[in-house]
Amino acid sequence: MLLLSKKDMQKVFTMHDAVAATKQALRIYSEGGSVVPLRVNIGAPHYEGQTLFMPGYVPALDSLGVKIVSVFPRNSAQGLPSVPATMVLIDGTNGQVCCLLDGTYLTQLRTGAAAGAAADLLARQDARIGALIGTGGQALTQLEAMLTVRNLREVRIVGRNPDHTRSFVRQSQEELANFGTLLRAVETSEEAVTDADIITAVTTSAQPVFDGRLVKAGAHINGVGSYLPEMQELDEFILRRADKIFFDSQEAVLSESGDLIIPLAKGTITADNFSGEIGRVVSRNLPGRETPEEITIFKTVGIAVLDIVTAQQIYQRALEQGIGREFSFS
């Protein structure tokens, strides 16, 4: 089997590549071309953590896999990733593990790419101002994806800790300098989202992180962070105002994310508010943005097909370029 580190993966795969792979994966999923059971979530309440097991199978690629990903928010205080993960890629022709990948980076890459793909499909072409709410382990790739799909002049960034936010902005400005975009730390989410064309929320908050009444007509919103029924980043106002609401997997979102579970239970919204899965926009079976004034929302909880398609393409690139380390138990 091949072992691929984050550095190995970065050598062979860009965010542009990841956005393209994600669009393919979303299309495959929505066309029924994959087997993706709902993930198993095992809680570790003593440490405020969860470990998720995400299996899947893509017959067209002869590829299976399972990602083991944990969410332990306290890790950041110890200098550890708050979302550590390992991806196990399996050859679908013989059932053998063919590759182990750094699942932490894979999660960051494909999660950013999912929001990037949605923004590419739904945001206005003339989008110039972005807003990023959240500065944790997923934030940098969310920012990179936003910059990859639109030529933004400025991105306003806000987090819970102002000092950490400023540090994150400095790091991001250095790592993403090639885009030439002004990255600016702001004090409040109100300042971040006002007049923003693309808004990405990537937090573990149990309360809405911005006021939907401040979102301008024509904006696109990515809801990334809420993956449990008690988590809610998006408020009822923006859900009611949205012209179109898309999902990576409608089944998974309605089973797992408080962003939709909570307002549905309250009767704030109904299923009539939903547009469907964004993979059907990729295949052109559903319209995306139809007018400049539409407010669009993409809600993602992450599905295994995103990991498998992205990991399979990284694996193939690594084989072609002789990247990675071979390992065998025998």
Side-chain angles (χ1 to χ4, degrees):
M1 75 183 79
L2 195 65
L3 306 182
L4 294 176
S5 68
K6 174 180 177 179
K7 288 184 178 179
D8 294 332
M9 296 161 70
Q10 289 176 319
K11 287 177 184 176
V12 300
F13 219 67
T14 67
M15 179 57 76
H16 180 79
D17 296 327
V19 169
T22 295
K23 288 181 181 179
Q24 179 187 3
L26 291 166
R27 177 185 57 75
I28 288 171
Y29 177 80
S30 292
E31 290 178 350
S34 61
V35 179
V36 185
L38 287 176
R39 57 193 174 192
V40 175
N41 187 343
I42 298 176
H46 186 69
Y47 300 98
E48 299 178 7
Q50 297 92 29
T51 293
L52 301 90
F53 299 84
M54 301 174 61
Y57 174 41
V58 181
L61 300 180
D62 285 327
S63 190
L64 300 93
V66 58
K67 188 174 73 175
I68 304 168
V69 55
S70 299
V71 182
F72 278 63
R74 292 186 191 176
N75 281 6
S76 56
Q78 305 173 52
L80 298 172
S82 58
V83 190
T86 299
M87 180 68 193
V88 181
L89 191 65
I90 300 169
D91 187 328
T93 67
N94 57 34
Q96 292 189 310
V97 174
C98 58
C99 189
L100 291 179
L101 302 92
D102 178 344
T104 302
Y105 179 64
L106 179 68
T107 301
Q108 293 167 347
L109 182 65
R110 67 84 155 145
T111 305
D120 197 29
L121 293 164
L122 300 174
R124 289 173 53 141
Q125 290 294 327
D126 62 354
R128 291 295 177 264
I129 298 175
L132 177 65
I133 302 173
T135 58
Q138 301 292 315
L140 183 61
T141 50
Q142 290 293 327
L143 180 56
E144 182 181 6
M146 192 187 301
L147 299 179
T148 297
V149 301
R150 288 294 183 271
N151 183 23
L152 299 180
R153 183 180 70 244
E154 173 185 271
V155 179
R156 305 161 186 160
I157 301 168
V158 62
R160 288 182 300 179
N161 183 308
D163 290 336
H164 178 76
T165 300
R166 287 188 287 270
S167 175
F168 172 79
V169 169
R170 286 193 296 271
Q171 174 199 354
S172 302
Q173 194 76 68
E174 182 176 326
E175 294 195 26
L176 304 175
N178 57 301
F179 290 102
T181 302
L182 172 64
L183 307 180
R184 188 160 64 88
V186 297
E187 296 292 328
T188 65
S189 63
E190 289 78 11
E191 188 177 357
V193 304
T194 299
D195 294 327
D197 299 297
I198 301 174
I199 300 166
T200 294
V202 56
T203 76
T204 56
S205 178
Q207 303 293 330
V209 295
F210 66 91
D211 186 343
R213 290 169 290 198
L214 299 177
V215 174
K216 77 173 189 177
H220 169 70
I221 298 120
N222 293 312
V224 179
S226 168
Y227 65 93
L228 291 174
E230 61 270 19
M231 291 180 176
Q232 187 183 19
E233 294 180 303
L234 307 180
D235 72 11
E236 61 186 62
F237 303 106
I238 195 56
L239 292 169
R240 284 209 305 259
R241 290 185 61 205
D243 297 282
K244 292 178 179 175
I245 301 174
F246 293 98
F247 312 102
D248 54 355
S249 163
Q250 185 160 329
E251 178 188 19
V253 169
L254 297 185
S255 298
E256 298 175 2
S257 174
D259 278 341
L260 280 299
I261 292 172
I262 293 170
L264 280 170
K266 292 169 61 177
T268 302
I269 58 171
T270 70
D272 292 337
N273 294 91
F274 305 152
S275 302
E277 291 174 349
I278 202 164
R280 298 188 65 204
V281 179
V282 179
S283 60
R284 300 186 179 179
N285 290 319
L286 273 180
R289 174 176 294 277
E290 295 181 282
T291 73
E293 299 303 305
E294 283 183 331
I295 293 176
T296 57
I297 291 177
F298 171 63
K299 176 58 200 168
T300 174
V301 292
I303 46 178
V305 67
L306 300 175
D307 299 299
I308 293 169
V309 173
T310 305
Q312 173 68 16
Q313 292 190 17
I314 292 172
Y315 171 59
Q316 291 298 329
R317 294 270 188 96
L319 286 180
E320 293 165 4
Q321 298 181 31
I323 300 294
R325 183 161 61 95
E326 291 186 353
F327 173 81
S328 174
F329 288 111
S330 60

